[in-house]
């Protein structure tokens, strides 16, 4: 039985995204003032079994909002949050740099490690996400 204080998954993701943007990403780059994002559960395009989350450019949305899709089949909170952090780095530059330049600089600065197309949280970022 759920209580009024419990968040549904999309609300939890949206609240988490705000914290990730403000506390982790904003110290390393300017946040968009003219664009917003929306998070939905759904299957990102591509290989459903491998893609955890995906950010779409604002132009793909009728109201010029970046759409971030997060798979509903993974329930590991840290895995979801590290994927969300990755997609929020795409959001800040409207997916313009792919996995290079601006994306790479900010992703590394917040603590994403490994191949940037499938980066995971390093130890320090994982500890922050755990909180």
């Amino acid at each position: 039985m759920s209580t009024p204080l419990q968040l549904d998954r999309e609300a939890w993701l949206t609240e988490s995204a705000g914290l990730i943007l403000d506390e982790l990403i904003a110290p390393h780059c300017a946040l968009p003032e003219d664009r917003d994002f929306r998070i939905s559960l759904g299957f990102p395009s591509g290989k459903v079994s491998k893609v955890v989350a995906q950010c779409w450019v604002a132009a793909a949305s009728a109201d010029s909002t970046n759409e971030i899709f997060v798979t509903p089949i993974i329930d590991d909170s840290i895995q979801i949050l590290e994927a969300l952090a990755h997609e929020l780095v795409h959001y800040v530059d409207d997916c313009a740099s792919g996995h290079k330049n601006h994306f790479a600089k900010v992703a590394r600065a917040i603590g994403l490690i490994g191949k940037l197309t499938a980066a995971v949280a390093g130890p320090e970022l994982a500890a922050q996400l755990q909180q």
Side-chain angles (χ1 to χ4, degrees):
M1 185 169 129
S2 59
T3 68
L5 296 177
Q6 290 178 314
L7 298 175
D8 67 30
R9 192 169 186 192
E10 287 178 352
W12 177 80
L13 286 164
T14 300
E15 184 175 306
S16 298
L19 293 170
I20 290 168
L21 284 167
D22 293 343
E23 296 179 17
L24 301 176
I25 296 175
H28 303 288
C29 69
L31 300 180
E33 294 181 12
D34 60 339
R35 268 184 301 108
D36 204 359
F37 63 89
R38 183 171 27 249
I39 300 175
S40 302
L41 293 179
F43 295 101
S45 67
K47 296 184 179 186
V48 172
S49 64
K50 293 190 178 202
V51 178
V52 177
Q54 191 173 64
C55 181
W56 288 26
V57 297
S61 177
D63 62 356
S64 297
T65 298
N66 288 91
E67 303 284 352
I68 298 175
F69 296 97
V70 178
T71 183
I73 60 174
I74 295 175
D75 63 0
D76 180 297
S77 298
I78 299 304
Q79 185 179 3
I80 293 297
L81 290 175
E82 67 190 6
L84 180 59
H86 175 116
E87 299 312 324
L88 289 167
V89 176
H90 283 303
Y91 155 70
V92 297
D93 79 345
D94 198 18
C95 307
S97 60
H99 291 101
K100 298 179 181 179
N101 305 318
H102 180 267
F103 175 87
K105 178 183 170 194
V106 176
R108 296 294 185 217
I110 68 167
L112 289 170
I113 61 172
K115 186 176 175 184
L116 287 175
T117 55
V120 296
E124 187 175 322
L125 177 57
Q128 290 173 305
L129 295 175
Q130 186 67 41
Q131 293 178 359

